[in-house]
Amino acid sequence: MFIEQLSESTEMYLKAIVEMSDRDMVAVSRLAERVNVTPVSANEMVHRLGEQGLVEHTPYKGVALTEKGREVACNVLRRQRLWEVFLYEHLKIEWAQIYELACSLEHATAPEVTEALATFLGDPRTCPRGNPIPAADGSFTPLDGLPLSEISVGKTVRVVAVNATETDVLRYLQEREILPGQEITVLEAAPLHGPLMLRMPGGKEVALGMSLAEFVFVK
Amino acid sequence: MFIEQLSESTEMYLKAIVEMSDRDMVAVSRLAERVNVTPVSANEMVHRLGEQGLVEHTPYKGVALTEKGREVACNVLRRQRLWEVFLYEHLKIEWAQIYELACSLEHATAPEVTEALATFLGDPRTCPRGNPIPAADGSFTPLDGLPLSEISVGKTVRVVAVNATETDVLRYLQEREILPGQEITVLEAAPLHGPLMLRMPGGKEVALGMSLAEFVFVK
DNA sequence: CGGAATAATAAGGGTAACCATAAGATTTTT
DNA sequence: AAAAATCTTATGGTTACCCTTATTATTCCG
Ligand SMILES: [Mn+2]
Ligand SMILES: [Mn+2]
Ligand SMILES: [Mn+2]
Ligand SMILES: [Mn+2]
């Protein structure tokens, strides 16, 4: 089966869907938020993706990837995360920037380059943000962890991944040392979805807003 | 001065112009051939480039890059050739394929990545196809050599660069060991722009068509 | 059950790059 | 100086993505 060259836009939609679908279908309006377009535009695109056999849209229910779509999406994820490893480990680029930079490269990367890069990097299993790198065949163990926003007060957890994508957000977290591998104790959770109070390894206390805490996966 | 994000198409046109302009202006129809569009389409694009201050078009004479255009074009060339070095030296990708693969990556490469890559590679001066890599400031010593097609019979020369871009053409030359560094003797030139007869280092004799010989720069 | 919220569609536009065909305008060649 | 070749411009299309502003359909919830 031929894998035609898909547009950057198409790849970004598919990546968004695979990242958002834990178990159930993805609402088109959520997808729209994620890829930063209006719901109407996302709806149009979902139709186009459907025509290409990449997604299945059930009106009023949501979108799901087809097998073909999942394959493509995982491959985009693979390219993205391999580049993140290269940019961070070899080019020594600032941790907060690697997602954004890799997100451009991922669409310009031929299969030959992807596989040669994987070999060059020693077939890494996770990217510097802690996310698993899908294998060449698309197989992929999803992240085993919970968002920090769902951890109860008093618990001590270890960060496994930081799933933010915006450089500003990543830089904010980096400055507070909320990074994969760090051990964090949840001291307090303010009411009404207010900020969490966290104790970091050095003993420093840090306040973290709930929407940011949703990006931080811990175990 | 801000360098807005230019489209892939724009970058390819600028790169084509800088590569084709030795001394005089570039005819729009030549440009059209190079970027594989119709002359009308190239004309439209030249207008757009003119409005953006990247080229100067003199009707019936040709196009020339402005200073701004030359800067952008050299930067594209820098990105392209740095990626070629990486793909060849580090990822061990087949020589004939690196141009095509680098030609995708070049448009997805932010300045931070370009410079970090240059440092990682040890600031190489030439790419595996023998072309000089422009410096970060755009400075750039043009290739010192002549096309093999202009060498007279009996002369022995050394290949400095192979300027073909199509993978098929590069593979054809690679198979005949017409590669940078090789020493070649022109044994015979058939009349009517017919093929050249060449003696290669091993003593093997190779026939090479004139249009292919135009890609091979020697000294 | 019925209204509110949410989702989908319809309709009308916009831009960037491409295409083709058909005139003009200019240069080159005879 | 014509004629031929080349270059430019004028028109009119196409596709992929995006937008806004209705309108309609469905689901959710009190
Ligand atoms: Mn639908
Ligand atoms: Mn991307
Ligand atoms: Mn013009
Ligand atoms: Mn290119």
Side-chain angles (χ1 to χ4, degrees):
Chain A
M1 191 192 284
F2 288 99
I3 299 175
E4 347 69 287
Q5 179 54 357
L6 301 170
S7 70
E8 167 160 352
S9 195
T10 298
E11 292 193 334
M12 289 304 285
Y13 273 88
L14 294 178
K15 199 172 80 166
I17 298 169
V18 80
E19 286 184 309
M20 294 172 81
S21 51
D22 35 40
R23 205 169 136 48
D24 39 355
M25 298 187 125
V26 175
V28 176
S29 51
R30 291 306 114 267
L31 182 56
E33 281 168 23
R34 185 58 100 87
V35 299
N36 245 293
V37 297
T38 61
V40 177
S41 298
N43 208 288
E44 281 174 355
M45 182 52 125
V46 164
H47 274 268
R48 280 191 292 269
L49 296 175
E51 279 158 23
Q52 292 173 86
L54 295 164
V55 303
E56 194 82 46
H57 179 221
T58 315
Y60 300 101
K61 295 294 172 189
V63 216
L65 295 171
T66 61
E67 189 44 41
K68 183 181 168 196
R70 208 197 67 93
E71 221 167 273
V72 174
C74 286
N75 197 266
V76 180
L77 236 30
R78 174 169 170 82
R79 281 174 262 156
Q80 178 223 298
R81 291 173 182 170
L82 287 171
W83 279 123
E84 283 187 84
V85 173
F86 176 68
L87 294 177
Y88 187 66
E89 303 281 338
H90 295 266
L91 297 196
K92 313 294 183 196
I93 286 174
E94 182 197 7
W95 182 82
Q97 270 195 291
I98 60 174
Y99 175 82
E100 192 179 2
L101 297 170
C103 189
S104 295
L105 289 169
E106 65 192 357
H107 312 290
T109 308
E112 296 94 319
V113 176
T114 309
E115 297 320 312
L117 181 62
T119 303
F120 171 82
L121 297 172
D123 287 306
R125 288 164 24 269
T126 58
C127 78
R129 279 162 47 254
N131 288 110
I133 298 175
D137 62 13
S139 69
F140 173 38
T141 14
L143 201 61
D144 161 31
L146 290 170
L148 183 55
S149 52
E150 290 176 17
I151 301 303
S152 41
V153 171
K155 289 243 166 94
T156 294
V157 291
R158 186 174 296 276
V159 177
V160 293
V162 177
N163 263 339
T165 56
E166 279 165 56
T167 303
D168 296 347
V169 170
L170 287 161
R171 199 169 277 138
Y172 181 93
L173 294 171
Q174 180 184 26
E175 280 162 8
R176 283 153 188 79
E177 296 180 276
I178 299 169
L179 299 170
Q182 290 289 72
E183 217 168 71
I184 294 179
T185 305
V186 181
L187 297 178
E188 193 191 328
L192 296 170
H193 282 256
L196 295 177
M197 211 61 201
L198 306 174
R199 178 161 37 233
M200 302 305 296
K204 203 164 25 176
E205 291 187 15
V206 167
L208 188 72
M210 258 315 183
S211 39
L212 289 174
E214 277 166 24
F215 291 132
V216 181
F217 282 73
V218 299
K219 202 157 83 170
Chain B
M1 189 192 282
F2 288 98
I3 299 175
E4 344 68 286
Q5 179 52 1
L6 300 170
S7 70
E8 167 159 353
S9 195
T10 297
E11 291 194 335
M12 289 305 284
Y13 272 88
L14 295 178
K15 199 172 80 166
I17 297 169
V18 79
E19 285 184 310
M20 295 171 81
S21 51
D22 35 40
R23 210 177 129 42
D24 39 352
M25 297 187 125
V26 176
V28 176
S29 51
R30 293 306 112 260
L31 182 57
E33 280 169 22
R34 185 61 100 86
V35 300
N36 246 293
V37 297
T38 63
V40 177
S41 299
N43 209 291
E44 282 172 354
M45 183 53 124
V46 163
H47 274 269
R48 279 191 293 269
L49 296 175
E51 280 158 23
Q52 290 173 85
L54 295 165
V55 304
E56 194 83 45
H57 179 221
T58 316
Y60 300 101
K61 294 295 171 188
V63 218
L65 294 171
T66 61
E67 188 44 41
K68 183 181 167 195
R70 208 198 65 93
E71 219 168 276
V72 174
C74 287
N75 196 266
V76 180
L77 236 29
R78 174 171 171 77
R79 281 173 262 157
Q80 178 223 298
R81 291 173 183 170
L82 287 170
W83 279 123
E84 284 188 83
V85 174
F86 176 67
L87 295 178
Y88 187 66
E89 303 280 338
H90 294 268
L91 296 197
K92 314 294 182 196
I93 286 175
E94 182 196 8
W95 182 82
Q97 269 194 294
I98 60 174
Y99 174 82
E100 192 178 3
L101 297 171
C103 189
S104 293
L105 289 168
E106 65 192 354
H107 312 290
T109 308
E112 296 95 317
V113 175
T114 309
E115 298 319 312
L117 181 63
T119 302
F120 171 81
L121 298 172
D123 287 306
R125 285 162 29 268
T126 56
C127 77
R129 279 163 47 252
N131 289 109
I133 298 176
D137 62 13
S139 69
F140 174 36
T141 14
L143 202 60
D144 161 30
L146 290 169
L148 182 57
S149 52
E150 290 175 20
I151 300 302
S152 40
V153 170
K155 289 244 166 98
T156 295
V157 291
R158 186 174 294 277
V159 177
V160 293
V162 178
N163 262 339
T165 56
E166 277 166 56
T167 303
D168 297 346
V169 171
L170 287 161
R171 199 168 277 139
Y172 181 93
L173 295 170
Q174 179 184 28
E175 279 162 8
R176 284 151 188 81
E177 294 181 275
I178 299 169
L179 300 169
Q182 290 289 73
E183 219 169 67
I184 294 179
T185 303
V186 181
L187 296 178
E188 192 190 331
L192 295 172
H193 282 256
L196 296 176
M197 213 56 201
L198 306 175
R199 179 159 39 231
M200 301 305 297
K204 202 164 20 173
E205 292 188 14
V206 166
L208 189 69
M210 258 314 183
S211 39
L212 287 174
E214 277 167 23
F215 290 132
V216 182
F217 282 74
V218 300
K219 203 159 82 171

